[in-house]
Amino acid sequence: MAHQTETLTKLKKGNELYLSAKSNPGDVSPEVRRDTAANGQHPATIVICCSDSRVVPEAIFSAGIGELFVIRVAGNVLLDTQLASVQYAAGHLHSKTIVVLGHTHCGAVGATLAGGAHGFVKLLTDEIKRAIGDETDEYRAVVKNTLAGVEIIKAKLADDHEALTAETDVLGAVYDIETGKVEWL
């Protein structure tokens, strides 16, 4: 890790708030909407997470409008289109913290452990299979898949010095959908 930033501290504190929250305390006010419309977005953090409807990064991190650049795809798989979004947010919006957020009870990981899928879903389960290898434990598979995403970002964007600077942190984390707690890897 390049450094532990105030952004990571804010994410951790936001998750602590979320554990007992009944609504999202992030700022979604008309004022912040108008400000981001007029002055653009400047999210400090990029979150690559699963499309699962139980995984809502803005709630999980108690974030408001403009704080997170969220990229969602089943199984938090990083294909070229997701990497392009990471590259855009890191290079053009100057987001310096990148979080690959896996989660417990992931359907895409479960499908992979069950032998894969067919059709377009197979694209995702094949990528997850490459990441987890012969792992059979669901939680360990989620962790391996998440950490593989971290390594893909570091490897594929290593030569893009606008996207990954010495100040950029690329982190892995796992969200527990039952407790709401984020475990940092």
Side-chain angles (χ1 to χ4, degrees):
M1 271 183 267
H3 64 298
Q4 295 295 322
T5 64
E6 66 181 60
T7 302
L8 180 57
T9 300
K10 185 173 182 178
L11 292 171
K12 288 179 178 181
K13 285 181 181 177
N15 182 240
E16 288 297 322
L17 282 172
Y18 170 71
L19 294 178
S20 61
K22 298 209 186 283
S23 63
N24 183 4
D27 190 347
V28 296
S29 67
E31 294 80 17
V32 80
R33 285 196 307 269
R34 283 191 295 272
D35 180 60
T36 57
N39 300 309
Q41 61 174 323
H42 305 284
T45 304
I46 302 164
V47 179
I48 302 97
C49 65
C50 188
S51 300
D52 190 303
S53 64
R54 301 166 293 179
V55 180
V56 184
E58 292 84 355
I60 293 166
F61 296 117
S62 303
I65 294 171
E67 293 185 62
L68 303 177
F69 189 93
V70 179
I71 302 160
R72 295 179 70 128
V73 61
N76 46 278
V77 170
L78 281 146
L79 300 173
D80 289 349
T81 51
Q82 289 75 36
L83 286 166
S85 293
V86 171
Q87 186 176 37
Y88 167 76
H92 295 281
L93 301 177
H94 309 291
S95 303
K96 295 298 179 208
T97 302
I98 304 170
V99 178
V100 179
L101 183 65
H103 70 94
T104 59
H105 304 290
C106 179
V109 170
T112 304
L113 292 173
H118 65 282
F120 293 110
V121 178
K122 187 172 178 356
L123 292 169
L124 302 174
T125 58
D126 285 354
E127 287 299 314
I128 294 169
K129 181 64 179 168
R130 276 191 269 290
I132 68 172
D134 294 329
E135 184 60 63
T136 58
D137 177 81
E138 182 182 349
Y139 183 77
R140 287 195 304 264
V142 166
V143 169
K144 283 185 171 185
N145 185 51
T146 300
L147 291 175
V150 168
E151 293 308 313
I152 288 168
I153 291 168
K154 288 179 178 178
K156 297 252 180 156
L157 297 181
D159 293 333
D160 184 340
H161 302 294
E162 286 184 21
L164 295 185
T165 70
E167 298 172 349
T168 306
D169 285 325
V170 184
L171 310 168
V174 175
Y175 170 65
D176 185 313
I177 65 167
E178 184 177 348
T179 67
K181 182 80 175 147
V182 171
E183 176 190 352
W184 297 91
L185 305 175

